[in-house]
């Protein structure tokens, strides 16, 4: 959707068609696990004003790179000059967990939200972002919540331990039962069976154990796929007139192949592809960025942390925490902040810009709260 | 519309923003890199988040939540997700005070 509008914003006059399996007009996913609000991003008129043809509820079954045709379920075939695969990801479920609910779409959210009622016993598998946001949401709705996580701490994949600790303490304070280092053997709609042989009973079990990139079409078409659809600096796949962006793609971030599940990256990459299609591409330099809201706390992460390497803290106020990381050459590579509302947003935004500009920093200075970040940025 | 005394010129750092509430409404008052003062509605047009926690760079404000960027001298959206422009109000500086026409 971002790419379609960006094509128009940058002057493309040819046909643009947005084909999507979901029936609803494009909507934002982040609120599904937070406020639960489901709203279209743009009205149907906004698409027609920009001459963007919508094909909701249309499932693409195949792409033929030779004849440049996409086939829809039901037999229809459509020709393209340039194709963008923005197929996203689907919620992961491990074998033996098939009966659990998962959250990816507006329809999933409707089912899950209807279960988060006062006194309901909710079991959540996975202490990642979706699991924790749902835990917060469920507590706020008055449900009894248990989170089961196999790892030794929450958010072990992408977030520094200093930040995860604050969220852990907050969830505990709010009355969420957090079970770490607890492996799950199998689970159904009302039961979780643990590695130690015990079982827990719930009214509803939700799994938040990650997402799998939706790469089936790319594979069927013969494109290179490796943890996502492999793309170059223009987000072009192994076929010159086929692009991929968002959760489904695997791209190079400063020498490291990554696949992100990030709302901002999906926006940035959509616009980037539009420019590439128009022959106006600029080097992709957008820093990975992610946020999460739980209770009144908001967390933001810019860049990608190496969780095995040292992480520095910048002492901010009592109720906020900001951490950052530099690589061996003193290059700032990542930063994260957490606090009530948007208390750390400004700092993290400045860190993001410093990362984008590949700023060499003195970690000691950056850790010192009396050093004005804005001035540091102005000096770069 | 009336001129309201909102703050002192020193209440806002250079290239920064503060929140100003008046008559049940909330505004953002900006000082740019050249000591120009500007006033817009306080809330982002994307999701009612206050812009006073955002980052000011020259004549732009970046929303603290999902990074929409607005030109606060005109109210125009420069970068989505916001689609709607911010409403701007006139300002003037008199005797070290910032007045806004709201
Ligand atoms: C509950 C939830 C909360 C989130 N919260 C945050 C957050 O707080 N912060 C953040 O940064 N990110 C968050 N995210 C991640 C963010 O929403 C995603 O990164 C973003 O949606 C990715 O956009 P996309 O366009 O790549 O893919 P998607 O949004 O997944 O869209 C892909 C679309 O392609 C369609 N499709 C796939 N295959 C086909 C086919 N063969 N034919 C037709 N259509 C097809 C799918 O039906 C889907 O509609 C959250 C995600 C979820 C699910
Ligand atoms: S609330 Fe401002 S960009 Fe979303």
């Amino acid at each position: 959707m971002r790419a379609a509008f960006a094509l128009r914003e940058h002057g493309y006059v040819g046909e643009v068609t947005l084909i999507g399996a979901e029936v609803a007009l494009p909507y934002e996913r982040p609120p599904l696990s937070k406020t639960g609000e489901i709203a279209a991003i743009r009205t149907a008129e906004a698409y027609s004003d920009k001459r963007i043809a919508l094909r909701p509820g249309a499932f693409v079954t195949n792409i033929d790179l030779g004849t440049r045709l996409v086939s829809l379920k039901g037999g229809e075939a459509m020709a393209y000059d340039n194709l963008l695969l923005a197929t996203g990801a689907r919620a992961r479920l491990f074998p033996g967990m098939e009966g659990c609910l998962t959250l990816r779409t507006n329809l999933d959210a409707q089912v899950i939200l209807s279960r988060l009622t006062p006194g309901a016993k909710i079991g959540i598998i996975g202490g990642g972002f979706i699991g924790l946001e749902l835990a917060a949401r469920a507590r706020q709705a008055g449900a009894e919540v248990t989170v089961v996580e196999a790892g030794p701490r929450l958010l072990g994949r992408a977030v520094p331990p200093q930040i995860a600790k604050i969220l852990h303490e907050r969830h505990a304070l709010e009355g969420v039962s957090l079970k770490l280092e607890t492996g799950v053997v199998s689970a159904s709609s009302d039961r979780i069976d643990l590695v130690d042989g015990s079982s827990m009973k719930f009214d509803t079990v939700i799994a938040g154990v990650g997402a799998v990139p939706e790469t089936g079409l790319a594979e069927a078409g013969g494109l290179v796929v490796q943890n996502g659809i492999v793309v170059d600096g223009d987000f072009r796949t192994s076929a010159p007139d086929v692009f991929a962006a968002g959760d489904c793609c695997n791209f190079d971030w400063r020498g490291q192949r990554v696949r992100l599940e990030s709302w901002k990256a999906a926006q940035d990459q959509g616009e980037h592809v539009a420019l590439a299609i128009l022959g106006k591409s600029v080097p992709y330099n957008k820093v990975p960025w992610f946020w999460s809201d739980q209770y009144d706390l908001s967390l933001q992460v810019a860049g990608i942390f190496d969780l095995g390497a040292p992480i520095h803290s910048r002492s901010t106020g009592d109720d906020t925490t900001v951490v950052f990381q530099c690589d061996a050459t003193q290059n700032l590579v990542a930063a994260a902040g957490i606090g009530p509302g948007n208390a750390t947003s400004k700092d993290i935004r400045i860190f993001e810009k410093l990362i984008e500009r590949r700023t060499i920093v003195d970690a000691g200075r950056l850790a010192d709260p009396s050093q004005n970040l804005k001035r540091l940025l102005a000096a770069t | 519309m009336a001129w309201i005394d909102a703050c002192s010129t020193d209440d806002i750092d250079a290239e920064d923003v503060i929140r100003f509430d008046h008559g049940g409404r909330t505004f953002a008052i900006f000082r740019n890199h050249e000591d120009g003062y500007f006033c817009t509605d306080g809330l982002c047009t994307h999701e009612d988040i206050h812009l006073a926690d955002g980052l000011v760079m020259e004549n732009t404000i970046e929303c603290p939540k999902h990074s929409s960027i607005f030109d606060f001298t005109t109210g125009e959206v420069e970068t989505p997700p916001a689609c709607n422009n911010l409403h701007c109000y006139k300002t003037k500086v008199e005797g070290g005070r910032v007045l806004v026409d709201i």
Side-chain angles (χ1 to χ4, degrees):
Chain A
M1 180 218 141
R2 183 69 207 110
F5 279 94
L7 276 169
R8 291 298 185 227
E9 285 156 21
H10 295 287
Y12 181 70
V13 292
E15 282 177 39
V16 179
T17 307
L18 201 54
I19 309 170
E22 292 185 68
V23 177
L25 278 173
Y27 57 91
E28 303 284 23
R29 298 189 198 285
L32 301 180
S33 49
K34 301 177 179 72
T35 57
E37 191 188 325
I38 302 169
I41 306 172
R42 300 269 180 120
T43 59
E45 293 75 56
Y47 293 89
S48 54
D49 282 354
K50 298 285 177 204
R51 293 190 304 110
I52 297 167
L54 284 175
R55 293 296 305 263
F59 188 82
V60 179
T61 54
N62 197 27
I63 51 179
D64 187 323
L65 302 178
T67 55
R68 291 190 177 163
L69 286 175
V70 298
S71 315
L72 304 189
K73 194 171 176 181
E76 188 184 344
M78 294 173 79
Y80 66 85
D81 295 319
N82 287 287
L83 180 66
L84 167 59
L85 297 173
T87 46
R90 62 175 180 277
R92 174 185 286 143
L93 268 184
F94 293 112
M97 286 190 182
E98 285 81 3
C100 304
L101 297 179
T102 56
L103 177 56
R104 182 77 197 175
T105 68
N106 56 352
L107 303 178
D108 299 337
Q110 276 166 7
V111 174
I112 288 177
L113 291 172
S114 73
R115 307 285 180 89
L116 307 182
T117 52
K121 284 190 163 56
I122 308 292
I124 296 178
I125 306 174
F129 284 112
I130 296 211
L132 293 179
E133 288 185 357
L134 278 176
R137 174 89 204 150
R139 277 307 292 152
Q140 285 164 328
E144 286 176 32
V145 185
T146 303
V147 174
V148 180
E149 163 61 47
R153 69 170 174 95
L154 301 177
L155 297 167
R157 235 171 12 128
V159 173
Q162 296 91 327
I163 303 262
K165 178 170 165 272
I166 290 167
L167 285 168
H168 185 120
E169 286 166 2
R170 181 60 184 271
H171 279 285
L173 190 73
E174 297 280 349
V176 174
S177 162
L178 297 160
K179 302 206 178 304
L180 301 181
E181 296 185 300
T182 305
V184 172
V185 179
S186 63
S188 65
S189 59
D190 62 354
R191 195 180 135 143
I192 302 180
D193 299 320
L194 301 176
V195 174
D196 68 6
S198 65
S199 296
M200 293 188 282
K201 288 284 289 169
F202 297 98
D203 296 321
T204 297
V205 175
I206 308 165
V209 292
V212 191
E214 201 67 77
T215 56
L217 264 186
E219 281 161 48
L223 298 171
V224 177
V225 172
Q226 198 164 31
N227 181 27
I229 306 169
V230 174
V231 293
D232 69 8
D234 275 345
F235 289 82
R236 205 181 289 270
T237 67
S238 50
D241 42 17
V242 181
F243 297 79
D247 287 12
C248 69
C249 81
N250 180 300
F251 67 104
D252 177 85
W253 168 248
R254 301 196 172 169
Q256 158 182 193
R257 295 303 302 188
V258 294
R259 189 180 72 77
L260 303 177
E261 284 159 21
S262 146
W263 176 90
K264 177 81 167 23
Q267 303 262 326
D268 290 340
Q269 294 168 6
E271 174 150 16
H272 191 85
V273 166
L275 288 170
I277 288 175
L278 295 169
K280 297 180 181 175
S281 64
V282 286
Y284 186 80
N285 193 26
K286 298 283 198 249
V287 176
W289 179 83
F290 187 93
W291 90 96
S292 172
D293 301 327
Q294 293 166 39
Y295 309 103
D296 65 335
L297 293 176
S298 201
L299 149 76
Q300 300 198 353
V301 184
I304 298 177
F305 278 95
D306 173 356
L307 293 175
I311 294 170
H312 308 280
S313 322
R314 180 176 158 89
S315 336
T316 45
D318 287 347
D319 56 354
T320 62
T321 300
V322 171
V323 298
F324 63 94
Q325 185 167 61
C326 305
D327 66 9
T329 56
Q330 298 287 72
N331 236 298
L332 184 65
V333 291
I338 188 164
N342 295 305
T344 64
S345 300
K346 212 185 281 184
D347 282 0
I348 299 305
R349 197 71 80 242
I350 296 174
F351 272 108
E352 185 187 335
K353 291 194 193 298
L354 291 170
I355 298 169
E356 189 178 302
R357 296 177 190 180
R358 295 173 181 264
T359 317
I360 307 281
V361 294
D362 173 349
R365 265 185 74 193
L366 215 49
D368 175 359
S370 68
Q371 294 283 333
N372 183 306
L373 287 178
K374 190 81 177 281
R375 234 168 275 145
L376 225 132
L377 180 66
T380 60
Chain B
M1 303 286 263
W3 287 101
I4 305 291
D5 184 335
C7 61
S8 151
T9 49
D10 294 338
D11 289 343
I12 318 176
D13 289 337
E15 271 199 312
D16 210 352
V17 52
I18 60 164
R19 173 183 180 138
F20 175 62
D21 293 332
H22 182 81
R25 294 156 69 198
T26 188
F27 303 90
I29 303 181
F30 305 89
R31 174 169 166 186
N32 72 5
H33 54 306
E34 292 164 331
D35 293 335
Y37 291 83
F38 299 89
C39 177
T40 68
D41 278 334
L43 301 180
C44 180
T45 59
H46 181 231
E47 269 181 24
D48 290 357
I49 294 293
H50 212 289
L51 294 171
D53 291 320
L55 179 66
V56 175
M57 298 288 280
E58 300 194 345
N59 286 324
T60 61
I61 171 76
E62 188 168 338
C63 173
K65 196 79 232 186
H66 317 111
S67 311
S68 282
I69 299 178
F70 301 90
D71 179 336
F72 55 73
T73 66
T74 60
E76 264 169 51
V77 177
E78 285 196 353
T79 309
C83 314
N84 298 321
N85 295 340
L86 284 170
H87 193 81
C88 293
Y89 303 88
K90 282 193 205 124
T91 61
K92 63 183 176 188
V93 174
E94 275 177 13
R97 305 293 304 172
V98 181
L99 307 180
V100 294
D101 188 17
I102 49 183

